[in-house]
Amino acid sequence: MLSRVADSIYWLNRYIERAENVARFIDVNLNLILDLPSGVPPQWKPLIAVTGDIEQFDHNYSEVNSENVIQFLCFDSNYDNSIISCLQKARENARSIREVISSEMWEEVNSFYLAIKEASAASSFGTLPKLFSRVKMASHRFAGIMDATMSHNEGWQFGQMGRLLERADKTTRILDVKYFLLLPSAEWVGTPLDRIQWIALLKSASAYEMYRKCQHHITPGSVAEFLILDRAFPRSIHFCLWQTQQCLHEITQTPPGHWCNGAERALGKLCSQLSYLTIEDIVQSGLHEFLNQMQSSIYQVGNEIHHTFFALGDSQRALSNQSSNNLQLQSTSNTQASSA
Amino acid sequence: MAFEAYDPEDFYDELFLALGEPRSHCASLIQRMVELGIAQLEQQRQTAAIALFKLGVTFNVYSDNQGVEKIFPFDIIPRIIEGSQWSQLEQGLKQRIQALNLFLDDIYGAQKIIQDGKIPAEIIYTASGFLKPCLGIKPPAGVWCHITGTDLVRDKDGSWYVLEDNLRSPSGVSYVLENRRVMKSTFPDIFRNMMVKPVDDYPSQLLETLLNLAPAQVPDPMVVVLTPGIYNSAYYEHSFLAQQMGIELVEGRDLIVADGYLQMRTTKGLRRVDVVYRRIDDNFLDPLAFNPNSLLGVPGLMEVYQQGRVALANAPGTGVADDKVVYAYVPEMIRYYLGEEPILSNVPTYLCWRESDRNYVLANLDKLVVKAANEAGGYGMLIGTRSTEAERAEFAQKIIAQPRNYIAQPTLSLSRVPTLIEGKVEGRHVDLRPYILHRGDEIYVHPGGLTRVALKKDSLVVNSSQGGGSKDTWVLNSINN
């Protein structure tokens, strides 16, 4: 299939998944704020910190408060990773491959975008929870429609890869929120407030109920273990990357365990590593450091996919607007050239 | 009621002879519509509009990243053409396309028509669509204009005229197919009784035409549609045709010239492309040969084309015949190349570079329609009867400054069709754009074509960019075939 078409369907899915996850981690913070004991101020900075786009925020906003953070992450069309920007780009990608995807998929993306655009004009603090659940549901609906109306062909596999890779990346960030989320002091570790934060975190990954089925206690180690290493939970990093790998090998027809391009090699290495890690290994090396490392590995996989499948031929003409995308990676400069 | 009070007035009406008197071949349609009543018709119109919007049959009004799309307004009262009338048009169109194609082959080849003094060389060389890099090219089977969308109009007495030939990349055929789809689901019973010629065959005919261009030795040729991208006003159509033909829709950035061939970038590497149905203007095709600033085209494409390693439809250079001065010579071309009298007439055309014509035009600006020779889409035009003194003075200046660039024609009072306007049936002016496919050994005329209607009262401008809409066009099967 055309590289551009593969690229568009991959990014169509990534952007929708990204919009969903942005809604998820704002939602978790909203929930937390409502549960804070009196005297503990609400924290909005962690949300920006975890995106890695704090510089851009500081440049355009004078103060970190709920209004600004929500405007920035949801409705700021100058910010590439806001919900509205993601949906706009998702729609544009969908539009350029309408003859490839099913018309139901197009209709869903189109109405998703229009609904959020409309909501952005009339949002208030009180309507936000409803908005976020709409974003999540629309994203699930899109995934379902794609699954049920499009042939599971090469294009579909690219779309799946996009969604899963994005989800893996966002799960690392949701976990990392806790690192930035300061407790008033060290004495608070292990208190109900600490526990409430971990629960909120699980909920934002829709993981609380599934977690409870395998763990009785909420401990930092077991929450992290669940979201990183669980093999059955569909938002855990290991699960997402494992599935991504399956899609990749479906596309290339390379037998499992072998590789013949950079994408297969990078992803294969990452999956093998996760298969044999324990949570103790992770905690020992530092959870935050591990997550950072994971983000840059996932970024690397995305890069390899881009070079293997999308950026064929001369390197002068970047293939599409998304190739310049900053994958919200902290401390990684945005190096790829933007396209003409 | 809907049609009782409908008065064709002093125009040629496609459905009515006179007040309360439908043309005989339209009688059953009118009867059925009267039975439905105006409220029902209005409701059906809305249903049809929603259906078209859902199908995404849209065009872009202007380009920005918000993706503004509009639907081309659609009127549910069809335009009907009788079978025998149609066969005559068909013959006329075939004759005209054949002559135009021979002209293109000649003008980029031996140029006999110039040597024989039938058309001045100067006119050809100053036409903006004339492309020097195409001199000496021999496209497959000698076909230059594979796809044509000729604009036809009817005057007060009902006689047909060719207004424009549109040999570059005419758009609109997707509306023909989608309008029909909607009409069939809206009025299935009428279709059953009227013996309307089907239109669904177009994508297969087009694909056949394109496959025909591939080199004979290629067993499974790769045919693609080349689009400027999602911001182009006709993007919907490009995507629709690619989907209907089951071929790839590509953009310039998907293509690359490598190893002497045109190739496309796929997830499995480069893949050779044999035939390109391009919906990009000549000047943007190849920045190395034409406009160096073009980002839409493919550097090196013309060279591959010149070597016969890829086929382009339409061939670059066909625009020379879209020049309105060259257009005036088409009847002459028909006599010259085919030794026949033209079946379809041109609108009488005054060429301002001829002194006598120019003087006449300048003295009669208030009666004539003046057009720039190289513009399309209803732009760069003066409708004398509706103009102000100042506008006429402005055009007089332009004509004197650049006589080669202007032509003038008498104002035709275009034929009308009853149209549903705000709950009433009123007459509106229409034109007709049939689509013609040239395959070398055979010319195919798609039955009907796009009827465009000027929705504004008394307006003669049918372009979608200027308040035009469309109607389904029904060509009836003759009783005896």
Side-chain angles (χ1 to χ4, degrees):
Chain A
M1 81 186 299
L2 278 178
S3 297
R4 173 180 55 83
V5 170
D7 184 62
S8 288
I9 193 164
Y10 171 87
W11 279 102
L12 162 61
N13 281 275
R14 277 200 84 145
Y15 280 125
I16 289 193
E17 184 69 26
R18 187 171 296 176
E20 178 194 327
N21 281 284
V22 173
R24 280 177 184 281
F25 54 73
I26 307 175
D27 201 28
V28 64
N29 211 40
L30 281 177
N31 273 318
L32 267 179
I33 284 165
L34 303 180
D35 290 337
L36 282 180
S38 58
V40 179
Q43 295 180 43
W44 287 98
K45 196 143 193 174
L47 291 190
I48 306 291
V50 85
T51 60
D53 295 321
I54 198 148
E55 276 172 34
Q56 202 181 339
F57 179 87
D58 287 342
H59 188 73
N60 292 321
Y61 297 86
S62 53
E63 194 190 340
V64 183
N65 58 27
S66 64
E67 240 167 50
N68 285 348
V69 169
I70 286 167
Q71 173 65 25
F72 179 67
L73 292 176
C74 297
F75 306 124
D76 189 341
S77 52
N78 295 318
Y79 171 46
D80 276 350
N81 295 312
S82 69
I83 293 179
I84 193 79
S85 298
C86 287
L87 292 178
Q88 200 214 311
K89 283 183 281 188
R91 178 180 185 272
E92 216 162 280
N93 276 297
R95 202 165 156 236
S96 71
I97 50 170
R98 268 176 75 173
E99 80 289 355
V100 178
I101 61 178
S102 70
S103 49
E104 288 90 343
M105 285 167 70
W106 159 250
E107 275 174 34
E108 182 58 36
V109 178
N110 196 28
S111 57
F112 191 1
Y113 167 73
L114 293 173
I116 300 309
K117 202 177 155 203
E118 203 175 304
S120 71
S123 79
S124 67
F125 203 78
T127 59
L128 284 172
K130 210 168 141 198
L131 176 74
F132 294 140
S133 78
R134 266 172 82 185
V135 171
K136 280 186 266 181
M137 283 320 288
S139 167
H140 293 324
R141 208 157 45 229
F142 175 78
I145 287 172
M146 178 164 140
D147 193 65
T149 63
M150 182 178 177
S151 290
H152 291 202
N153 53 18
E154 193 185 352
W156 186 87
Q157 305 284 0
F158 274 107
Q160 288 293 105
M161 278 211 301
R163 176 179 311 122
L164 291 160
L165 208 55
E166 181 70 24
R167 189 181 290 168
D169 175 75
K170 286 300 168 289
T171 300
T172 65
R173 288 167 201 281
I174 286 173
L175 255 176
D176 217 16
V177 172
K178 188 66 178 87
Y179 172 81
F180 290 100
L181 206 54
L182 297 176
L183 290 168
S185 69
E187 289 132 47
W188 288 77
V189 174
T191 62
L193 175 62
D194 191 22
R195 207 154 50 238
I196 280 171
Q197 289 184 347
W198 283 108
I199 289 174
L201 196 139
L202 281 168
K203 282 187 171 163
S204 81
S206 295
Y208 178 70
E209 292 163 23
M210 295 299 142
Y211 173 87
R212 275 296 196 201
K213 289 183 204 309
C214 26
Q215 296 280 343
H216 296 298
H217 303 289
I218 308 277
T219 63
S222 51
V223 171
E225 183 180 21
F226 189 71
L227 288 179
I228 297 170
L229 297 175
D230 195 87
R231 285 168 193 248
F233 181 64
R235 309 195 77 84
S236 89
I237 298 167
H238 191 193
F239 180 94
C240 293
L241 293 176
W242 186 253
Q243 294 275 319
T244 308
Q245 195 183 24
Q246 299 220 322
C247 295
L248 182 59
H249 283 260
E250 224 13 82
I251 291 165
T252 56
Q253 295 293 316
T254 310
H258 295 246
W259 58 272
C260 56
N261 59 52
E264 285 170 350
R265 182 161 170 269
L267 188 55
K269 266 171 75 182
L270 196 53
C271 285
S272 310
Q273 186 202 349
L274 280 169
S275 296
Y276 300 102
L277 265 180
T278 63
I279 190 62
E280 288 74 24
D281 299 334
I282 293 171
V283 169
Q284 203 161 34
S285 66
L287 179 59
H288 175 66
E289 287 68 26
F290 172 81
L291 293 172
N292 256 349
Q293 185 52 44
M294 191 49 72
Q295 284 162 16
S296 76
S297 302
I298 292 171
Y299 178 80
Q300 199 48 43
V301 170
N303 240 343
E304 291 290 350
I305 289 174
H306 177 81
H307 290 299
T308 306
F309 299 107
F310 309 149
L312 192 65
D314 57 11
S315 52
Q316 300 292 309
R317 304 167 90 203
L319 258 175
S320 79
N321 50 357
Q322 304 94 342
S323 57
S324 66
N325 198 272
N326 171 11
L327 298 181
Q328 303 184 342
L329 188 70
Q330 288 161 273
S331 72
T332 295
S333 61
N334 187 6
T335 49
Q336 289 170 50
S338 62
S339 71
Chain B
M1 283 302 288
F3 288 92
E4 282 76 351
Y6 179 76
D7 185 355
E9 298 171 354
D10 192 18
F11 295 100
Y12 185 88
D13 194 282
E14 301 282 347
L15 301 189
F16 278 82
L17 274 168
L19 180 76
E21 198 185 328
R23 293 180 185 278
S24 61
H25 62 275
C26 308
S28 60
L29 170 78
I30 301 296
Q31 194 198 342
R32 182 74 184 100
M33 292 211 160
V34 168
E35 280 165 26
L36 283 171
I38 199 86
Q40 187 75 20
L41 284 178
E42 182 60 36
Q43 204 181 349
Q44 300 283 31
R45 187 189 66 75
Q46 281 172 19
T47 314
I50 292 167
L52 286 170
F53 198 70
K54 275 213 175 140
L55 288 168
V57 187
T58 56
F59 68 94
N60 295 5
V61 208
Y62 54 89
S63 309
D64 73 356
N65 57 7
Q66 299 297 309
V68 176
E69 297 133 60
K70 262 194 151 180
I71 84 163
F72 192 26
F74 171 66
D75 185 73
I76 57 165
I77 306 175
R79 182 243 198 99
I80 303 184
I81 302 172
E82 222 186 336
S84 57
Q85 178 106 96
W86 177 254
S87 2
Q88 223 191 339
L89 284 179
E90 202 176 339
Q91 290 315 310
L93 288 167
K94 285 184 180 173
Q95 180 195 50
R96 194 170 171 103
I97 297 307
Q98 199 185 351
L100 277 164
N101 191 63
L102 289 170
F103 165 74
L104 290 164
D105 207 39
D106 184 20
I107 218 69
Y108 290 113
Q111 302 197 328
K112 288 200 199 103
I113 196 167
I114 296 178
Q115 285 149 28
D116 288 337
K118 301 290 180 190
I119 186 167
E122 190 197 332
I123 292 299
I124 301 299
Y125 286 105
T126 54
S128 69
F130 178 75
L131 299 180
K132 279 221 172 103
C134 296
L135 285 167
I137 288 181
K138 287 275 155 212
V143 181
W144 292 73
C145 47
H146 311 89
I147 300 114
T148 308
T150 310
D151 284 347
L152 301 172
V153 293
R154 291 179 102 167
D155 200 8
K156 199 174 271 189
D157 61 357
S159 43
W160 292 89
Y161 293 95
V162 175
L163 197 62
E164 285 177 12
D165 289 293
N166 298 317
L167 299 162
R168 283 167 288 185
S169 52
S171 61
V173 74
S174 56
Y175 299 119
V176 175
L177 304 189
E178 295 288 34
N179 287 352
R180 177 60 58 85
R181 178 142 71 132
V182 168
M183 284 297 274
K184 267 162 57 180
S185 60
T186 316
F187 299 114
D189 50 335
I190 303 185
F191 273 91
R192 212 171 41 204
N193 299 330
M194 298 256 322
M195 298 202 295
V196 181
K197 278 188 198 280
V199 297
D200 288 345
D201 201 26
Y202 186 80
S204 322
Q205 294 284 354
L206 179 59
L207 183 58
E208 205 51 50
T209 308
L210 297 170
L211 284 170
N212 216 25
L213 298 177
Q217 72 275 15
V218 179
D220 188 12
M222 173 64 78
V223 184
V224 301
V225 178
L226 174 59
T227 174
I230 61 171
Y231 297 122
N232 185 270
S233 64
Y235 178 75
Y236 168 74
E237 177 159 305
H238 307 159
S239 154
F240 174 82
L241 289 174
Q243 186 186 43
Q244 293 296 310
M245 291 189 282
I247 63 180
E248 292 285 359
L249 177 66
V250 304
E251 297 179 17
R253 60 189 175 162
D254 296 327
L255 301 175
I256 183 174
V257 170
D259 306 329
Y261 286 93
L262 181 67
Q263 317 238 19
M264 63 183 191
R265 304 166 208 254
T266 78
T267 53
K268 305 255 193 300
L270 294 178
R271 169 114 205 246
R272 216 176 113 179
V273 174
D274 302 297
V275 181
V276 181
Y277 175 31
R278 48 93 178 201
R279 297 292 298 257
I280 287 182
D281 287 346
D282 287 354
N283 279 325
F284 294 96
L285 271 180
D286 179 353
L288 300 183
F290 307 115
N291 182 350
N293 299 321
S294 171
L295 296 170
L296 303 175
V298 189
L301 173 60
M302 271 307 278
E303 204 185 318
V304 180
Y305 172 67
Q306 281 158 347
Q307 287 165 355
R309 290 171 165 181
V310 67
L312 299 176
N314 289 352
T318 53
V320 63
D322 277 344
D323 185 286
K324 292 190 172 67
V325 178
V326 177
Y327 152 91
Y329 287 90
V330 176
E332 196 52 39
M333 293 174 199
I334 294 173
R335 292 183 199 104
Y336 180 75
Y337 292 113
L338 305 177
E340 297 170 7
E341 273 306 302
I343 301 170
L344 281 171
S345 313
N346 263 15
V347 180
T349 302
Y350 302 97
L351 305 176
C352 294
W353 64 271
R354 286 187 188 138
E355 198 182 347
S356 55
D357 283 17
R358 181 165 66 247
N359 292 339
Y360 176 81
V361 171
L362 290 171
N364 293 282
L365 278 178
D366 57 335
K367 300 185 192 71
L368 298 169
V369 176
V370 181
K371 294 174 181 171
N374 295 319
E375 297 266 5
Y379 295 103
M381 190 164 115
L382 174 83
I383 300 180
T385 51
R386 312 251 167 98
S387 61
T388 64
E389 187 93 28
E391 285 166 344
R392 289 197 291 277
E394 186 197 328
F395 263 80
Q397 294 240 312
K398 287 187 185 169
I399 292 170
I400 293 164
Q402 292 184 303
R404 160 67 179 85
N405 281 348
Y406 288 91
I407 59 124
Q409 294 167 337
T411 314
L412 304 181
S413 68
L414 306 190
S415 63
R416 302 203 310 187
V417 182
T419 303
L420 197 58
I421 305 282
E422 289 166 7
K424 274 194 284 192
V425 179
E426 296 180 4
R428 287 292 185 269
H429 295 292
V430 295
D431 76 350
L432 177 67
R433 176 180 289 181
Y435 296 87
I436 304 106
L437 303 176
H438 194 325
R439 290 205 271 264
D441 50 350
E442 188 204 350
I443 295 175
Y444 167 81
V445 184
H446 189 238
L450 181 65
T451 292
R452 295 185 298 177
V453 51
L455 294 172
K456 280 188 232 156
K457 194 169 171 56
D458 299 327
S459 169
L460 294 172
V461 186
V462 296
N463 302 83
S464 55
S465 51
Q466 303 193 25
S470 72
K471 282 169 171 289
D472 194 10
T473 310
W474 294 4
V475 173
L476 303 184
N477 275 316
S478 309
I479 312 288
N480 50 7
N481 69 13

